[in-house]
C-alpha cells in the first residue's frame, strides 16, 4: 500500500529528537515499529527501508540516534570521515541515554492515533541492531529484528560497556537476528557468543545467516547484496506480521 511521510520531534531529556515517521496512507490502526538506523543516521538508504516496511501495514518511527550530539537533520555520509563522526557520536552517548530514547519512542508510538497501542515492534541495523535488542527489554516490545547487530557480543555501544548480554533474560518478546557470515564486525565467534547467551537465557529467537558482508542491506555501498536484501526483507516482514498483527487484533 502507499505510505505517507512526515518529520516531527519529541523532547527527550530536554533535547529535541527528530523522528522520521512513515505510515500506511490508508486510515486505520497498525502495529508500531521503532526503527533504528546504522551509525550514519537517517540517510536515504535507511528511509527507503523504513518506507518499504511501512507499506506492509506498519507505523514506522525512525529516530535520530545522535540527537544529543549532532544538529537536527544531520545525515552522516558513509565515508571514512563519516565513520569517524558516527563512532565518535556513539562514544559520547551513554547506554542509559540510548535506553531512555528507546522508551520515549515506544511511549510515543503506543499513544499515536494511528497505532494499535500494543504490542510494539523494533528493528535496527548495525549499532541500531544492538539498540533494537536493548529496546526489547521494554515489556511492550513483543518482536525485535536485529540486523547485523554490532557490539552485543563485545559490549561495545556507547560511553561504557553495555550489559546487553547479561540482561537478555529480561526480554519478554521474540528476537529475530540476521547476520552476514562475511561480516568482520560480528565474526563467527561473536555470533556463537550471542547464540549461546540467548539459549542460556531461554529467549525465544530465530537466527538467519546470509553469505553477505556487513551493511549488505544498504543500497548505496559496495557491500550491498540485492538478493540477500530481498530475502531478508520478506523474512522480516513475515516475522513482524506473525508476531504483531495477530497480537494487535487481540488487544
Amino acid at each position: 500500500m502507499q505510505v505517507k511521510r512526515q518529520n516531527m520531534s519529541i523532547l527527550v531529556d530536554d533535547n529535541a529528537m527528530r523522528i522520521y515517521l512513515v505510515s500506511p496512507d490508508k486510515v486505520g490502526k497498525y502495529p508500531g515499529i521503532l526503527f533504528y538506523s546504522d551509525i550514519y543516521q537517517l540517510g536515504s538508504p535507511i528511509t527507503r527501508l523504513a518506507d518499504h516496511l511501512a507499506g506492509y501495514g506498519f507505523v514506522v518511527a525512525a529516530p535520530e540516534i545522535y540527537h544529543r550530539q549532532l544538529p537536527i537533520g544531520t545525515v552522516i555520509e558513509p565515508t571514512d570521515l563519516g565513520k569517524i563522526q558516527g563512532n565518535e557520536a556513539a562514544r559520547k552517548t551513554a547506554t542509559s541515554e540510548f535506553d531512555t530514547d528507546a522508551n520515549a519512542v515506544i511511549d510515543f508510538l503506543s499513544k499515536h492515533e494511528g497505532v494499535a497501542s500494543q504490542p510494539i515492534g523494533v528493528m535496527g541495523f548495525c549499532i541500531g541492531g544492538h539498540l533494537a535488542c536493548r529496546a526489547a527489554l521494554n515489556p511492550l516490545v513483543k518482536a525485535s529484528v536485529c540486523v547485523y547487530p554490532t557490539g552485543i557480543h563485545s559490549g561495545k555501544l556507547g560511553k561504557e560497556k553495555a550489559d546487553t548480554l547479561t540482561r537478555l533474560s529480561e526480554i519478554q518478546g521474540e528476537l529475530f537476528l540476521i547476520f552476514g557470515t562475511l561480516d568482520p564486525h560480528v565474526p563467527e565467534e561473536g555470533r556463537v557468543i550471542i547464540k549461546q547467551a540467548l539459549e542460556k537465557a531461554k529467549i525465544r529467537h530465530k537466527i538467519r545467516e546470509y553469505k553477505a558482508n556487513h551493511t549488505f542491506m544498504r543500497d548505496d555501498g559496495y557491500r550491498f547484496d540485492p538478493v540477500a536484501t530481498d530475502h531478508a526483507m520478506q523474512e522480516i516482514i513475515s516475522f513482524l506480521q506473525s508476531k504483531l498483527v495477530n497480537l494487535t487484533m487481540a488487544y
Side-chain angles (χ1 to χ4, degrees), residues 60-174:
V60 180
E64 286 185 333
I65 60 175
Y66 300 138
H67 67 97
R68 291 178 175 82
Q69 311 299 334
L70 301 174
I72 293 171
T74 299
V75 174
I76 302 172
E77 293 299 319
T79 62
D80 288 342
L81 287 177
K83 187 182 298 183
I84 293 171
Q85 185 181 15
N87 286 327
E88 180 67 2
R91 186 185 68 81
K92 291 181 177 179
T93 305
T95 300
S96 61
E97 292 174 329
F98 282 130
D99 292 344
T100 296
D101 293 347
N103 292 330
V105 181
I106 291 168
D107 182 64
F108 162 77
L109 281 169
S110 69
K111 296 175 181 177
H112 189 276
E113 62 181 4
V115 174
S117 60
Q118 295 185 46
I120 299 294
V122 188
M123 179 175 173
F125 305 85
C126 187
I127 187 176
H130 190 161
L131 294 175
C133 184
R134 290 194 67 86
L137 297 171
N138 186 306
L140 290 182
V141 174
K142 301 304 179 187
S144 188
V145 180
C146 310
V147 186
Y148 32 81
T150 54
I152 294 177
H153 67 284
S154 63
K156 184 178 180 181
L157 181 61
K159 279 184 179 180
E160 63 283 307
K161 187 171 183 178
D163 58 355
T164 309
L165 279 181
T166 61
R167 295 186 62 189
L168 290 176
S169 61
E170 299 175 35
I171 294 174
Q172 298 180 26
E174 186 167 344

Side-chain angles (χ1 to χ4, degrees), residues 208-229:
R208 183 75 162 89
E209 295 182 337
Y210 290 91
K211 189 177 180 181
N213 209 323
H214 192 61
T215 69
F216 71 83
M217 294 184 72
R218 280 190 69 101
D219 63 11
D220 66 341
Y222 69 94
R223 292 178 288 195
F224 176 51
D225 187 323
V227 174
T229 296

Side-chain angles (χ1 to χ4, degrees), residues 161-234:
K161 187 171 183 178
D163 58 355
T164 309
L165 279 181
T166 61
R167 295 186 62 189
L168 290 176
S169 61
E170 299 175 35
I171 294 174
Q172 298 180 26
E174 186 167 344
L175 298 183
F176 180 21
L177 298 100
I178 295 174
F179 297 108
T181 59
L182 307 179
D183 185 348
H185 299 289
V186 194
E188 183 177 3
E189 56 268 29
R191 300 195 299 272
V192 169
I193 289 171
I194 295 170
K195 293 174 189 176
Q196 290 177 342
L198 287 166
E199 290 167 1
K200 182 179 179 181
K202 298 181 179 179
I203 299 303
R204 287 175 293 149
H205 69 280
K206 60 181 290 188
I207 293 175
R208 183 75 162 89
E209 295 182 337
Y210 290 91
K211 189 177 180 181
N213 209 323
H214 192 61
T215 69
F216 71 83
M217 294 184 72
R218 280 190 69 101
D219 63 11
D220 66 341
Y222 69 94
R223 292 178 288 195
F224 176 51
D225 187 323
V227 174
T229 296
D230 288 347
H231 280 288
M233 280 302 292
Q234 285 306 119

Side-chain angles (χ1 to χ4, degrees), residues 233-250:
M233 280 302 292
Q234 285 306 119
E235 289 199 87
I236 290 165
I237 290 162
S238 178
F239 171 76
L240 291 173
Q241 287 178 333
S242 68
K243 302 304 172 186
L244 299 178
V245 174
N246 291 338
L247 279 174
T248 298
M249 294 173 64

